[in-house]
Structure formats: structure tokens, C-alpha cells
Amino acid sequence: MSRKRRNFSPEFKARVALEALSSEQTLSELSSKYGVHPNQISTWKKQAVDGLADVFSSKGRQAKETSHQGEIKELHAKIGELTVERDFLAKAFGR
């Protein structure tokens, strides 16, 4: 039998990682509570600790802004493409 891969939301991962960082419960307890393997919780915890510095750095903000700028350019291009297509079809059907 094959097992289906589960996908967890970023909010869920963050909640579990924060609880693991607080050290109030062991990884085994958190694993039982959330139904996630302890190794996965450790991985999320490590990712949270490694990414924490980016929250306070200007590089993280700049990277995010650059990402948003690229996304905005792509969306503007798509809007222009769809507008041209709509206008062409409107003329073709005589509207």
C-alpha cells in the first residue's frame, strides 16, 4: 500500500515549531499531540531558528520586496495580455 503524502500549512508548522522551541513538552508529546513524526518537528524547529535572523534583517525585507515586484510585473503583463485578447475577440465578434 502506498501512503499519501500530507501537506501542512505554514501556520501549522509555525505553531508546532514554536511549541517545540518553548520546551514545555517533549518531541514525543508534541508528536502524539499533532500526529507528526518527531524528526519532522525537529526539522521545522531548526528551520524556524535558522529563519529567525531574516525576520530582523534588511536583506529579508529586500528579498521579499524584490519578490513582490517581480510578481507585480508578471501580473501586469498578464492583465495586458488578457486585455488585448478581449479587445481582439470583441472586434472579431462585432461587439
Side-chain angles (χ1 to χ4, degrees):
M1 282 192 238
S2 64
R3 296 184 89 187
K4 186 177 179 184
R5 176 172 232 134
R6 296 186 298 174
N7 292 322
F8 298 101
S9 70
E11 293 81 15
F12 176 79
K13 292 177 184 179
R15 183 174 50 244
V16 174
L18 282 174
E19 283 196 43
L21 286 169
S22 71
S23 301
E24 291 178 8
Q25 295 178 330
T26 65
L27 289 178
S28 299
E29 292 171 339
L30 291 173
S31 175
S32 296
K33 181 178 178 181
Y34 291 108
V36 179
H37 196 276
N39 290 345
Q40 186 64 63
I41 295 173
S42 296
T43 302
W44 291 342
K45 180 179 172 182
K46 184 177 181 328
Q47 288 174 344
V49 170
D50 291 345
L52 196 55
D54 291 338
V55 171
F56 297 106
S57 72
S58 61
K59 289 180 186 176
R61 279 184 261 150
Q62 288 174 349
K64 192 180 249 187
E65 287 177 13
T66 304
S67 170
H68 287 306
Q69 292 296 333
E71 194 174 321
I72 288 171
K73 285 183 181 182
E74 288 177 28
L75 292 172
H76 280 257
K78 186 66 176 176
I79 289 170
E81 179 184 324
L82 292 173
T83 303
V84 169
E85 186 177 311
R86 185 198 64 206
D87 292 344
F88 174 79
L89 291 173
K91 287 180 184 177
F93 289 108
R95 291 183 181 179

